[in-house]
């Protein structure tokens, strides 16, 4: 049991004991007052009504009327309902004997806040009477031989011990209920701190529906995201190391060749320059991908004209496409100039990577088509990039957006690293958009980009 468990247990237990003690003392004091009165005064609803009737008779009929009423009660009513009336001099109205001790107790009860008015002080003019029903016996039906036995009364020590035990058990269960899931969370956090991100706590919390259960679900979400991020980083490090090995090996080979054959220094330097350029490109793409995957939000504070951005991408793409005997076709049915608030460089890189990827996968003497459509009702843009290549196997349509993933249909002469579409996906998603790929019925691959929140 942890410290939190004992804190909760002792706090609730002491609270229950104090509350029970205060309540018990209050009940005991009130009961003591009633017990003192019961020594001389009958405390029953019938007695209360009889005292009230005598008081009303005196107030509305005077002493004579009350005397007649008391006489009738003395002759006909049970002894419990016979009301005594004592004047200011301590003399009973029917000259019945009332002890001084009884009068003293009755007068003392006038100052107490009792629930039932068993004693009344009435006055009219110069006359004043103290009305009460003294203890004189029981009802006749309670004097029968077959009356029910009195209920069993539990002793005070037993009640105290039972209250302490019950309060301890309830406090124990409450403390366990709150501290047990915290212990589970603590164990899971310790495991996560040691690198074990496989721990999950939601299943161990049962059917709880409170804030602690929400905390457990948040922990599971956090652990899952951290596990995915760590796996992605390890995979990225492995893939980067693998991709760097080949150009570095070629660089070393070129340097060795230059040392061994000085007459081929020029060709070796050309090879070294080419491989250095490839390394620079790879490192740049890895840095861009790492920045996008770091979780640090990119500033989306630029206002970008999508048509102007598309024109810049097409101009650069056509220059490369013409060198490869391919074409780039642009289609647009957008009215006006749609503006998107975002990061211009990231959107440019995303669209450029998709278009350049299509150029390198479409055959010679074919075209890549970039089309832009506007959904005015949803205030969004749909961009599609179509090539006329061999497409992508259905099982690989989602994986081509992962780092260093290439389609099995890709040409062996393609020198890409499999980072372009991964960068495009993360750049589009950072703008609240989506990107996906599908095969066309006519052959080739279509990449669809959806960008929301157009500013007009």
């Amino acid at each position: 049991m942890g410290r939190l468990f004992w804190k909760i247990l002792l706090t609730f237990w002491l609270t229950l004991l104090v509350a029970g003690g205060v309540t018990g003392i209050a009940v005991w004091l009130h009961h003591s007052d009633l017990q003192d009165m019961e020594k001389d005064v009958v405390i029953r609803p019938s007695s209360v009504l009889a005292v009230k009737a005598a008081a009303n008779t005196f107030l509305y009929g005077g002493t004579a009327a009350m005397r007649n009423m008391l006489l009738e009660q003395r002759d006909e009513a049970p002894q419990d309902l016979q009301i005594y009336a004592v004047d200011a001099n301590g003399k009973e109205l029917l000259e019945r004997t009332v002890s001084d001790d009884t009068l003293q107790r009755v007068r003392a009860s006038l100052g107490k806040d009792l629930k039932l008015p068993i004693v009344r002080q009435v006055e009219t003019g110069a006359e004043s009477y103290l009305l009460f029903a003294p203890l004189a016996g029981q009802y006749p039906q309670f004097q029968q031989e077959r009356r029910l036995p009195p209920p069993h009364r539990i002793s005070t020590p037993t009640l105290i011990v039972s209250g302490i035990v019950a309060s301890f058990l309830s406090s124990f269960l409450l403390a366990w209920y709150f501290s047990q899931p915290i212990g589970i969370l603590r164990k899971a956090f310790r495991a996560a701190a040691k690198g074990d991100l496989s721990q999950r706590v939601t299943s161990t919390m049962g059917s709880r529906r409170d804030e602690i259960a929400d905390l457990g679900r948040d922990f599971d979400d956090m652990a899952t995201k951290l596990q995915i991020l760590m796996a992605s980083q390890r995979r990225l490090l492995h893939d980067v190391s693998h991709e760097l090995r080949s150009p570095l090996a070629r660089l070393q080979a070129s340097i060795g060749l230059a040392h061994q054959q000085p007459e081929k220094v020029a060709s070796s330097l050309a090879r070294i320059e080419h491989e250095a350029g490839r390394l620079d490109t790879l490192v740049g793409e890895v840095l861009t991908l790492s920045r996008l995957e770091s979780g640090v939000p990119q500033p989306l504070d630029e206002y970008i004209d999508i048509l102007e951005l598309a024109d810049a991408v097409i101009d650069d793409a056509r220059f490369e496409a013409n060198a490869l005997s391919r074409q780039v076709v642009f289609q647009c049915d957008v009215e006006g100039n749609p503006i998107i608030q975002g990061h211009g460089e990231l959107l440019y890189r995303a669209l450029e990577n998709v278009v350049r990827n299509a150029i390198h996968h479409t055959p010679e003497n074919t075209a890549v088509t970039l089309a832009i459509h506007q959904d005015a009702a949803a205030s969004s843009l749909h961009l599609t990039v179509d090539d006329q290549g061999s497409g992508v196997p259905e099982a690989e349509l989602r994986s081509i957006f992962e780092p260093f993933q290439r389609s099995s249909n890709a040409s062996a002469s393609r020198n890409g690293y499999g980072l372009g579409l991964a960068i495009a996906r993360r750049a589009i998603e950072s703008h609240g958009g989506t990107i996906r790929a599908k095969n066309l019925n006519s052959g080739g691959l279509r990449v669809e980009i959806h960008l929301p929140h157009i500013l007009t």
Side-chain angles (χ1 to χ4, degrees):
M1 300 298 179
R3 288 171 292 179
L4 180 62
F5 171 83
W6 291 110
K7 288 180 180 180
I8 296 175
L9 172 62
L10 293 177
T11 299
F12 279 99
W13 190 27
L14 291 177
T15 301
L16 289 174
L17 289 179
V18 171
V22 172
T23 304
I25 292 174
V27 172
W28 178 78
L29 291 175
H30 184 72
H31 186 63
S32 297
D33 290 339
L34 294 180
Q35 283 185 330
D36 290 340
M37 290 301 302
E38 285 178 351
K39 295 178 180 179
D40 300 292
V41 178
V42 177
I43 304 177
R44 294 191 182 88
S46 57
S47 301
V48 174
L49 293 175
V51 170
K52 186 175 182 179
N56 290 334
T57 301
F58 172 74
L59 292 175
Y60 295 103
T63 302
M66 185 174 65
R67 180 182 178 85
N68 292 334
M69 175 185 173
L70 297 181
L71 286 172
E72 291 181 2
Q73 284 185 346
R74 186 185 64 181
D75 298 335
E76 299 177 3
Q79 293 180 347
D80 310 71
L81 300 180
Q82 294 186 14
I83 306 304
Y84 281 60
V86 180
D87 59 16
N89 297 323
K91 184 179 180 181
E92 206 277 324
L93 186 59
L94 300 184
E95 299 182 354
R96 290 173 291 189
T97 301
V98 180
S99 65
D100 294 337
D101 184 57
T102 298
L103 285 178
Q104 183 177 359
R105 291 178 181 275
V106 171
R107 288 194 176 99
S109 69
L110 290 174
K112 298 180 179 179
D113 186 17
L114 298 177
K115 185 176 180 181
L116 298 177
I118 55 179
V119 177
R120 296 286 294 270
Q121 180 75 42
V122 292
E123 297 180 1
T124 56
E127 295 181 318
S128 174
Y129 287 95
L130 183 64
L131 306 178
F132 60 93
L135 184 62
Q138 303 296 326
Y139 287 106
Q141 58 267 32
F142 291 123
Q143 297 176 354
Q144 297 176 2
E145 295 181 358
R146 295 183 180 179
R147 63 183 180 180
L148 295 175
H152 176 69
R153 301 190 65 179
I154 303 175
S155 63
T156 301
T158 303
L159 289 175
I160 294 175
V161 173
S162 300
I164 293 175
V165 173
S167 61
F168 177 82
L169 290 177
S170 61
S171 301
F172 180 89
L173 293 175
L174 189 61
W176 178 85
Y177 180 76
F178 283 115
S179 62
Q180 187 258 351
I182 295 178
I184 296 174
L185 282 171
R186 182 183 179 188
K187 181 180 178 182
F189 274 111
R190 283 183 174 179
K194 294 179 180 179
D196 182 10
L197 297 176
S198 62
Q199 296 289 327
R200 298 295 182 269
V201 299
T202 301
S203 59
T204 60
M205 290 192 177
S207 58
R208 296 180 70 105
R209 295 293 183 272
D210 53 17
E211 286 77 4
I212 298 180
D214 294 339
L215 180 61
R217 285 189 288 272
D218 292 341
F219 172 84
D220 288 352
D221 293 340
M222 178 195 71
T224 300
K225 292 179 180 178
L226 285 176
Q227 194 172 25
I228 294 174
L229 181 60
M230 293 293 292
S232 176
Q233 288 182 344
R234 285 193 291 267
R235 185 175 66 251
L236 180 62
L237 180 61
H238 174 271
D239 293 340
V240 168
S241 301
H242 178 74
E243 293 293 337
L244 287 174
R245 185 174 300 166
S246 296
L248 286 175
R250 288 191 291 268
L251 278 174
Q252 291 174 347
S254 298
I255 294 172
L257 183 62
H259 284 299
Q260 295 173 5
Q261 301 178 1
E263 69 278 6
K264 296 184 178 181
V265 169
S267 61
S268 297
L269 288 177
R271 168 60 64 180
I272 291 173
E273 183 180 8
H274 176 71
E275 296 299 335
R278 293 191 64 188
L279 282 174
D280 181 68
T281 301
L282 174 60
V283 171
E285 290 186 346
V286 169
L287 289 175
T288 300
L289 181 64
S290 176
R291 185 171 69 252
L292 290 172
E293 286 190 334
S294 64
V296 179
Q298 302 296 321
L300 306 177
D301 52 359
E302 302 177 27
Y303 293 93
I304 306 159
D305 187 328
I306 294 298
L307 297 184
E308 183 178 334
L309 179 70
D311 287 338
V313 171
I314 290 174
D315 286 342
D316 294 340
R318 280 174 176 166
F319 179 80
E320 183 176 0
N322 291 335
L324 298 174
S325 302
R326 293 158 173 98
Q327 296 180 351
V328 178
V329 178
F330 179 50
Q331 299 176 353
C332 178
D333 61 2
V334 177
E335 297 180 0
N337 294 83
I339 304 298
I340 290 180
Q341 184 175 356
H343 194 290
E345 178 63 24
L346 286 182
L347 283 180
Y348 178 86
R349 290 288 300 275
L351 189 57
E352 181 195 35
N353 286 343
V354 174
V355 173
R356 291 183 72 248
N357 185 76
I359 290 174
H360 286 277
H361 285 86
T362 198
E364 293 184 2
N365 301 319
T366 60
V368 171
T369 303
L370 169 61
I372 302 179
H373 310 280
Q374 181 175 356
D375 186 350
S379 297
S380 61
L381 279 180
H382 297 276
L383 293 81
T384 59
V385 178
D386 300 342
D387 64 46
Q388 300 179 38
S390 57
V392 174
E394 292 293 329
E396 300 177 7
L397 286 175
R398 294 178 61 89
S399 63
I400 60 173
F401 293 101
E402 296 298 327
F404 299 103
Q405 297 295 321
R406 300 184 183 91
S407 170
S408 58
N409 291 347
S411 173
S413 61
R414 177 77 171 100
N415 293 324
Y417 298 103
L419 292 175
L421 292 181
I423 293 174
R425 190 192 77 176
R426 286 153 180 79
I428 295 299
E429 289 177 349
S430 68
H431 287 76
T434 59
I435 182 172
R436 67 188 186 95
K438 70 176 184 179
N439 291 310
L440 298 173
N441 295 331
S442 57
L445 183 72
R446 166 172 289 182
V447 176
E448 298 179 344
I449 299 174
H450 173 250
L451 288 173
H453 310 305
I454 295 180
L455 302 178
T456 56

